[in-house]
Amino acid sequence: MPPKNTKTPAAPTAFALRANLRAFASPEQAKTTMGFFKTGPGEYAEGDQFIGIKVPVIRKLIKPYVRMPITEIQVLLHSQIHEERLAALLLLVARFETGGPKARKEMYDFYMKELRWVNNWDLVDASAAPIVGAWLQGQDRGILRKMAKSKNMWERRIAITATHHFIKNGESGETFVLAAMLLNDEHDLIHKASGWMLREVGKHVGENTLRGFLKEHAARMPRTSLRYAIEHFPVDEKFQWLAV
């Protein structure tokens, strides 16, 4: 169960938060999670280590640590334990969302320097839009197109997922550019992320806007991406798009 009460620690350190996290660890949950995140030999998260803490519990536990120094957050982010890296990223998001322009830039710059530790799909999805997308709102977004060409799959996923912030602000252009760039990507996790963002365009910007993209690209889209994109369409229309 999530902790009912959290108190601000005397010293908001990585060591203290790590101890709190381990108090709620579950070996049984860890075994289940490791299979879900594909940690076996040759799989995309090979070697990632879990101690078995559900995300709602982590979100609850980090609340007293939001003012933890960035150097302490870095200690957690560099951990081999997945849940500790997630805790670090959620702290960065909280710091970004509550900070002024200077603090937001610091969080963004730190995140971009530490991308190698944002190395699983849930870590990307929890942080890319609220940090990278939020920072780039109204700014040059060339960095996203550069990341979309990266050999690193997680950087490519960060690029497309970061556009969720733009989508929720009524924009679809950057999502369409990146989704088109990623049409021939080799990895299913990129297909899923692209389809997810396209579906979000339909939800937040408009289904006709999404249909415009699909008319041009549906025939070449990976089927996984297309299925995600049209998930909320009427059944008859789904069959029409899948038959393209």
Side-chain angles (χ1 to χ4, degrees):
M1 292 179 62
K4 294 181 178 180
N5 296 299
T6 56
K7 297 180 180 180
T8 302
T13 64
F15 179 83
L17 178 51
R18 180 175 285 156
N20 282 351
L21 290 169
R22 290 179 184 276
F24 289 89
S26 165
E28 293 78 15
Q29 179 66 35
K31 290 179 182 178
T32 300
T33 306
M34 287 175 67
F36 184 69
F37 282 96
K38 308 296 183 183
T39 62
E43 295 181 316
Y44 63 75
E46 180 178 356
D48 203 354
Q49 300 176 35
F50 292 79
I51 56 176
I53 314 175
K54 293 184 177 180
V55 176
V57 176
I58 297 174
R59 290 186 180 277
K60 181 76 171 180
L61 288 171
I62 68 168
K63 287 182 179 180
Y65 294 84
V66 171
R67 292 301 156 196
M68 179 187 290
I70 194 73
T71 52
E72 294 294 310
I73 294 177
Q74 185 179 51
V75 170
L76 289 170
L77 187 59
H78 289 190
S79 173
Q80 297 301 314
I81 303 301
H82 185 99
E83 291 93 339
E84 292 181 5
R85 299 200 305 282
L86 178 57
L89 291 168
L90 292 174
L91 284 169
L92 284 179
V93 170
R95 291 280 290 277
F96 186 97
E97 292 178 341
T98 59
K102 183 177 179 180
R104 287 161 64 91
K105 185 177 189 305
E106 180 186 10
M107 296 305 107
Y108 170 79
D109 289 343
F110 176 81
Y111 184 90
M112 297 301 288
K113 290 177 182 177
E114 300 285 348
L115 287 179
R116 65 180 291 239
W117 300 99
V118 188
N119 55 0
N120 213 319
W121 60 263
D122 64 321
L123 304 181
V124 171
D125 297 355
S127 60
I131 296 178
V132 180
W135 177 255
L136 295 177
Q137 182 73 44
Q139 300 195 53
D140 181 86
R141 300 165 186 176
I143 185 63
L144 296 182
R145 302 181 191 196
K146 180 178 179 181
M147 292 173 70
K149 297 177 182 178
S150 173
K151 293 181 180 179
N152 184 295
M153 176 181 66
W154 304 121
E155 292 190 11
R156 302 197 303 275
R157 186 167 174 118
I158 288 170
I160 186 66
T161 306
T163 70
H164 199 188
H165 182 85
F166 312 147
I167 294 167
K168 288 188 286 187
N169 283 276
E171 299 181 37
S172 60
E174 197 66 39
T175 303
F176 287 167
V177 168
L178 296 177
M181 289 177 63
L182 295 168
L183 281 176
N184 297 318
D185 198 279
E186 62 186 16
H187 208 288
D188 187 60
L189 286 177
I190 302 301
H191 303 167
K192 290 178 179 178
S194 293
W196 170 29
M197 290 302 104
L198 291 170
R199 184 183 69 209
E200 290 298 294
V201 168
K203 177 181 177 181
H204 292 282
V205 183
E207 289 188 347
N208 285 336
T209 301
L210 172 56
R211 289 184 180 99
F213 178 89
L214 295 176
K215 286 177 183 178
E216 183 176 357
H217 298 289
R220 295 191 300 120
M221 288 175 66
R223 296 298 93 173
T224 296
S225 184
L226 181 57
R227 288 190 184 94
Y228 270 59
I230 63 176
E231 182 177 349
H232 297 314
F233 281 7
V235 173
D236 289 349
E237 186 178 1
K238 287 181 183 180
F239 285 120
Q240 292 173 11
W241 285 115
L242 290 170
V244 171

